[in-house]
Amino acid sequence: MFPFQLKVVSIPVKFNFRQIKNREIALFEGPEGWSEFSPFIEYNNKESATWLKAALEAATKPAPKLVRNEVAVNATLPTIKVDQVSTLLASFNGCTTIKVKVNDFVNDHLLLQEVLRHIPGAKFRLDVNGGWNLEEAIANLRNYLQEFPDQIDYVEQPCLDIADLKSLRQTVKIPIAVDESIRKYLGSDLTKLKEVADVAIIKWAPTGGFSSALEVIEKIQLPVVISSALDSSVGISHGLSLAASIPNLYGPCGLATTALLEADVTSKPLIAENGYIKNRRIVPDLIEEFKAVPARQSWWQDRVNEIYAEVSS
């Protein structure tokens, strides 16, 4: 039986993010404070167990030693329409690095043009989620580089295949960041990623928490960007603690994503101010306001009990 009582909330999501209308999040309090367990609904027990490991560590063990008190953050644009760009950008105060979910150049270059209308000096991070094969990646990135020659910071996971990433890096002169190549293969030899990538994207919960993330970062030996998984401010606080402990940050981190939620579990949410977020603990004082219905409370309690029993046996 899981040793902590869950408090499950359901938070409305802005726009179109992962095709969900409400983000369900299970919160619990341990001796080191509040923590969050929020693997997406479709994740199986094995994948979710990594998130549970992170949640338990944050609730029961001290955060790593900090080397900074605040973390620079980027804005994140999910799959949205051009006329929605201005409204969403306003939620990321002071952010000039913009992560944009893209499918291809033809459909999505207008999003980048619209961002530059509002933030002329913006730098872009193109997030593909492994959606391109090698030929598509080469064609799309050459087009992006031609139209936005000085604005592309890096492309995140353009291809899933490692051989394709290596060929792409040799063909198109653009920095490559890897996300899925890390968190979906945590048990494999990640040292080889240095041959195909320039930046490592690390997420607190999907990587298994502070200790696991720091071990992975040490193995990969790449500059790091800490990102998030549509967390509440509780989860973001742990991502910030991780980011604040890492000397070799590449640049702004993807930790301002509470802006993609319509609300939060705290009256003092972690949001960007002048492009930064200060690292601080979060007490979720709005749990009752967004409490999930009893059936969903039971579903999450059963889920965490089952996963905890599997990892404890």
Side-chain angles (χ1 to χ4, degrees):
M1 184 71 69
F2 189 65
F4 300 101
Q5 182 181 4
L6 295 185
K7 304 284 188 179
V8 182
V9 296
S10 179
I11 307 291
V13 176
K14 294 179 182 176
F15 306 111
N16 173 19
F17 195 94
R18 294 182 62 96
Q19 306 297 320
I20 60 176
K21 294 182 179 179
N22 289 276
R23 179 73 164 117
E24 290 187 345
I25 294 168
L27 304 169
F28 62 95
E29 187 177 14
E32 288 294 326
W34 285 89
S35 193
E36 171 174 324
F37 174 64
S38 56
F40 293 101
I41 302 298
E42 67 272 17
Y43 285 8
N44 61 29
N45 283 4
K46 182 179 179 181
E47 190 166 7
S48 298
T50 304
W51 295 57
L52 186 57
K53 177 184 175 184
L56 282 168
E57 181 189 38
T60 59
K61 297 181 180 179
K65 184 178 179 180
L66 306 184
V67 297
R68 60 182 64 82
N69 294 320
E70 60 180 11
V71 176
V73 291
N74 63 248
T76 299
L77 299 187
T79 305
I80 59 174
K81 298 177 181 178
V82 171
D83 61 6
Q84 297 172 317
V85 168
S86 176
T87 300
L88 191 49
L89 283 179
S91 303
F92 296 95
N93 179 267
C95 296
T96 57
T97 299
I98 319 296
K99 175 177 172 178
V100 186
K101 296 280 186 179
V102 295
N103 294 310
D104 58 55
F105 175 80
V106 173
N107 290 309
D108 296 323
H109 75 283
L110 295 177
L111 290 174
L112 277 64
Q113 289 179 351
E114 181 66 11
V115 170
L116 290 175
R117 243 182 22 92
H118 300 278
I119 308 174
K123 292 289 186 180
F124 294 110
R125 295 171 172 177
L126 308 177
D127 186 8
V128 188
N129 291 121
W132 294 336
N133 60 37
L134 178 59
E135 292 74 19
E136 290 170 332
I138 292 172
N140 280 307
L141 292 177
R142 282 177 172 168
N143 283 329
Y144 276 114
L145 286 171
Q146 182 175 356
E147 180 151 353
F148 309 99
D150 300 315
Q151 279 83 41
I152 308 299
D153 189 20
Y154 60 66
V155 57
E156 181 176 330
Q157 203 69 52
C159 312
L160 288 177
D161 186 80
I162 294 295
D164 284 350
L165 288 176
K166 188 172 185 177
S167 297
L168 178 64
R169 193 168 180 235
Q170 295 169 346
T171 306
V172 180
K173 299 306 177 184
I174 183 171
I176 293 174
V178 284
D179 175 4
E180 285 84 354
S181 291
I182 297 172
R183 59 186 174 85
K184 290 184 178 293
Y185 302 97
L186 290 174
S188 62
D189 181 9
L190 298 176
T191 60
K192 296 181 179 179
L193 289 178
K194 287 188 295 184
E195 301 173 9
V196 303
D198 305 280
V199 181
I201 308 297
I202 303 291
K203 296 177 179 177
W204 163 72
T207 312
F210 303 129
S211 299
S212 293
L214 292 172
E215 287 177 11
V216 168
I217 290 167
E218 179 65 24
K219 289 178 183 177
I220 296 175
Q221 291 290 302
L222 284 173
V224 173
V225 168
I226 302 300
S227 192
S228 55
L230 201 60
D231 307 329
S232 75
S233 281
V234 172
I236 292 295
S237 72
H238 301 315
L240 284 169
S241 292
L242 178 60
S245 73
I246 297 170
N248 64 326
L249 282 181
Y250 171 83
C253 291
L255 295 169
T257 50
T258 58
L260 300 177
L261 300 173
E262 289 284 4
D264 205 340
V265 297
T266 173
S267 57
K268 297 179 180 179
L270 291 169
I271 57 176
E273 297 180 16
N274 297 318
Y276 287 80
I277 301 180
K278 292 183 178 180
N279 182 51
R280 56 183 169 86
R281 283 193 175 191
I282 292 296
V283 176
D285 58 339
L286 299 180
I287 289 177
E288 289 302 315
E289 186 170 339
F290 298 102
K291 189 175 181 180
V293 298
R296 298 308 297 167
Q297 297 275 344
S298 298
W299 186 89
W300 276 93
Q301 192 68 58
D302 290 343
R303 183 187 194 191
V304 78
N305 287 340
E306 183 177 324
I307 296 168
Y308 185 73
E310 289 182 7
V311 298
S312 301
S313 60

